[in-house]
Structure formats: C-alpha cells, structure tokens
Amino acid sequence: AQKITQTQPGMFVQEKEAVTLDCTYDTSDPSYGLFWYKQPSSGEMIFLIYQGSYDQQNATEGRYSLNFQKARKSANLVISASQLGDSAMYFCAMRENGEKGGADGLTFGKGTHLIIQP
Amino acid sequence: DSGVTQTPKHLITATGQRVTLRCSPRSGDLSVYWYQQSLDQGLQFLIQYYNGEERAKGNILERFSAQQFPDLHSELNLSSLELGDSALYFCASSSSGTNKANEKLFFGSGTQLSVL
C-alpha cells in the first residue's frame, strides 16, 4: 500500500493566490516526520518544511505552512501569495521511527506539478 | 545550495557499461543516502551509509553497489547497465545516523544518467 498519496498530479494557479497541495499518509508508527520538498525544472531537491507527529502546532517557514491534521492523516502544504518562481514539482515525504529506526530514510509521494500563471 | 555535491551532473553511456557516481555530503554530516528518481517509479530509496558502514538497504539491484570512504564521500557504482537504469540519481546527507523521524535529509543536485 502506498504510504504517501498526493492526489493532484498537476495544478495551475494564478500568481499571488494561495495554493494548497494535498498529501495524505499511512502509518501505524506513533512517531514519524513529514517533509515537503520542491524540485524545480533544474532538478535539485530543496527542503521546504518539516512537521513532527508530536508537534502541537502547524509548522511554518516563511510563505510555506503545513496544515497538519493528524486524525485524518493529512499534511497539506500551503503556499501563500504564490510567485512565478514557485512553479515546480512538490513532493511530500514521510520518515517513520519504527523497528528500523527510520533507517530507510524518506518515503516519497508521486509529486504534484505546480504551475503559477502570471 | 544544500551543501551536498554530486558529480558528474550528466552521464551518457551505453548498455552493458559500468559507471561511478560520486557524492560529497554536507560538512559534518555522517550519513549518506542514495535515491533513484525515474518517471515510472518516482523517488526510490537505494541505500544508506553511516560513517563508512552500510546502514540500510532499499530497492537496490545486485548490479548496483555503494561505499562510503573515510573522508565521508560516497560512490554509487552501477554495472551491466540497462536502458531501464536511465534515471536521476540523488545523494542526500543528514547529520547523524540516529535515523530519528525528525532528521532532515539534504539533497544534492543529482546525476542524470542516460543509458543508450
């Protein structure tokens, strides 16, 4: 079963609008971390934001915030006031503690291709 | 700039050949991870090294191997290459080998491998 599901393969958004990218996850591990990465057309993977399963507050990093709803197992990324430079692939990822202590690194979703239109 | 350096940026080779991809982690990071990104499989974890020792294995083929050297740089060796091995190969590093859920991974720019 897929551990990370991103249901939006692609999105078109007008510049300056807010964007919500969906991510749901599946785990039975009580301790886990959720991450969002951005991959522009140049290819590099850029870390954006992190949310821990025990964090009481939603994570924020500048224009990025994470809408964490633990009971629903969702960790949506919100980008406020979108800019042309936000056009990229966005990946949601999870790391579990589990038996292996998270040694498998990150499990990624399939990604959402976000295009910001002027 | 994540601080993780990967070389080469692009690699074009033929089926049956062997190539080596190189990665230097961020200064002070002890763990190195290798990932493969392809259109059909997405991002797949291959292998992790911590301070020179193999720590975890993912979906890595037997034709592939890796190592981490005393200076902490890592190499991923791909042999008997097939067309299906064409992909973007990422190296990532993290500060420790605790592998806790909150440990962030920082990625290099990747090596684009094309097997013709």
Side-chain angles (χ1 to χ4, degrees), chain A residues 11 13 19 26 29 31 41 46 50 55 63 66 98 107 115:
Chain A
M11 283 184 76
V13 173
V19 181
D26 182 27
D29 193 334
S31 178
S41 57
I46 302 166
Y50 161 81
D55 293 344
R63 292 188 300 113
L66 204 151
T107 301
I115 297 173

Side-chain angles (χ1 to χ4, degrees), chain A residues 64-111:
Chain A
Y64 304 109
S65 60
L66 204 151
N67 184 1
F68 180 45
Q69 297 188 42
K70 195 170 181 176
R72 297 177 62 183
K73 292 189 175 178
S74 78
N76 298 339
L77 177 71
V78 180
I79 306 174
S80 63
S82 58
Q83 302 170 356
L84 296 178
D86 293 332
S87 295
M89 283 290 292
Y90 287 81
F91 291 95
C92 178
M94 177 174 64
R95 188 171 199 173
E96 299 160 290
N97 263 354
E99 292 176 359
K100 293 187 189 177
D104 287 352
L106 296 170
T107 301
F108 285 87
K110 298 275 186 201

Side-chain angles (χ1 to χ4, degrees), chain A residues 37 39 43 50 95 97 101 106, chain B residues 33 35 37 99 101-102 105:
Chain A
Y37 284 83
Q39 186 177 36
Y50 161 81
R95 188 171 199 173
N97 263 354
L106 296 170
Chain B
Y33 303 77
Y35 280 82
Q37 185 180 30
N99 289 333
N102 64 352
L105 269 61

